[in-house]
Amino acid sequence: MIQAMIFDFGLVISTPRPAACFRAYERDLGIARGSINRIMFDGPAWQDALIGQLTMQAYWRAIGPSLGLTRQRQIDAFQRRYYGDESVNPEVLRLIQRLHGTYHLAVLSNHPPGLDQWLSDWGIRDLFDVIYCSGDEGRVKPDPAVYHVTLDRLGARPAEAVFIDDTAGHVKAARMLGIHGIVFSDAHRLERDLDTLLGESQSVHLPPGTIETSYEG
């Protein structure tokens, strides 16, 4: 019997930005088209932030020059803009709200320090029993330890939990531990996958019309 649902944060709970958003960043920063994600996420600064070795303030200072931002006020302004464009996926949120109170819920994310506050700022922290943020814990997926810690805090055995992530390798790692795994693509597919996994007795099917068409960034 499934007792717990574990969600990734980025591109699952949060909504992907449209491609036009990244093109606007690159245009306004004066950097090459298609380069911003490489600058922000492919370097050592991001990896250090994911395990808490850099604060987010230090991370932005480290990547600022590569984005063409040399003054602190410029860095701060772009950071506010970038975070301001981040938003919760409304379709996934509605599904989580439906699950809340029936299942133990957790977030398990490779994310810099401060995810708990981020969820609080969005007004959704209280939906989750457990938050595992790699930046606060010092370990990242797919390390088996992060799944075990999350399960222990939920009070669930692997076979009693479902893990949902947009990265197939992270889902594969969960499955190898005996956790049910779902690779996320959109809220519609997630709802169908959960209904199939849970069966009629535990169905989470939402009434028609409660999920709108999502877009991919």
Side-chain angles (χ1 to χ4, degrees), residues 1-2 102-103 194-205:
M1 197 72 163
I2 301 300
T102 301
Y103 299 93
L194 284 174
D195 280 339
T196 299
L197 174 64
L198 298 172
E200 289 299 323
S201 64
Q202 290 183 275
S203 174
V204 297
H205 183 68

Side-chain angles (χ1 to χ4, degrees), residues 3 12 28 40 46 58 74 79 87 111 133 147-149 152 155 157 167 196 201:
Q3 305 290 337
V12 177
D28 295 345
M40 292 186 65
W46 180 247
Q74 295 174 316
Q79 181 181 356
S87 62
H111 194 282
C133 172
Y147 302 95
H148 287 304
V149 168
D152 287 345
R157 295 187 297 245
T167 301
T196 299
S201 64

Side-chain angles (χ1 to χ4, degrees), residues 6 9 11 48 56 60 63 84 86-87 136 214-215:
I6 306 169
F9 175 72
L11 306 183
D48 287 344
M56 284 310 293
W60 281 100
I63 68 168
E86 189 87 22
S87 62
D136 296 322
S214 61
Y215 67 85

Side-chain angles (χ1 to χ4, degrees), residues 89-98 206 210-212:
N89 185 321
E91 300 99 352
V92 174
L93 176 58
R94 284 193 284 270
L95 184 54
I96 290 170
Q97 289 169 331
R98 187 65 176 263
L206 299 180
T210 59
I211 293 184
E212 303 169 357

Side-chain angles (χ1 to χ4, degrees), residues 127-170:
L127 292 172
F128 301 99
D129 302 286
V130 171
I131 307 296
Y132 184 103
C133 172
S134 66
D136 296 322
E137 305 281 352
R139 289 178 181 269
V140 298
K141 297 173 292 187
D143 186 333
V146 308
Y147 302 95
H148 287 304
V149 168
T150 304
L151 288 172
D152 287 345
R153 292 175 183 173
L154 285 168
R157 295 187 297 245
E160 297 172 335
V162 181
F163 175 64
I164 301 146
D165 197 301
D166 65 301
T167 301
H170 296 166

Side-chain angles (χ1 to χ4, degrees), residues 5 34-35 40 56-57 61 75-76 96 110 115 125 127 134 141 155 161 173 178-179 202 205 215-216:
M5 304 277 182
S35 67
M40 292 186 65
M56 284 310 293
Q57 185 177 16
R61 283 200 303 268
I75 295 171
D76 291 343
I96 290 170
N110 288 353
L115 179 57
R125 172 63 182 86
L127 292 172
S134 66
K141 297 173 292 187
I179 302 168
Q202 290 183 275
H205 183 68
Y215 67 85
E216 293 185 8

Side-chain angles (χ1 to χ4, degrees), residues 56-57 59-65 67-81:
M56 284 310 293
Q57 185 177 16
Y59 162 76
W60 281 100
R61 283 200 303 268
I63 68 168
L67 295 172
L69 306 172
T70 57
R71 298 181 181 180
Q72 188 63 48
R73 61 179 178 82
Q74 295 174 316
I75 295 171
D76 291 343
F78 182 71
Q79 181 181 356
R80 287 192 297 270
R81 176 184 177 184

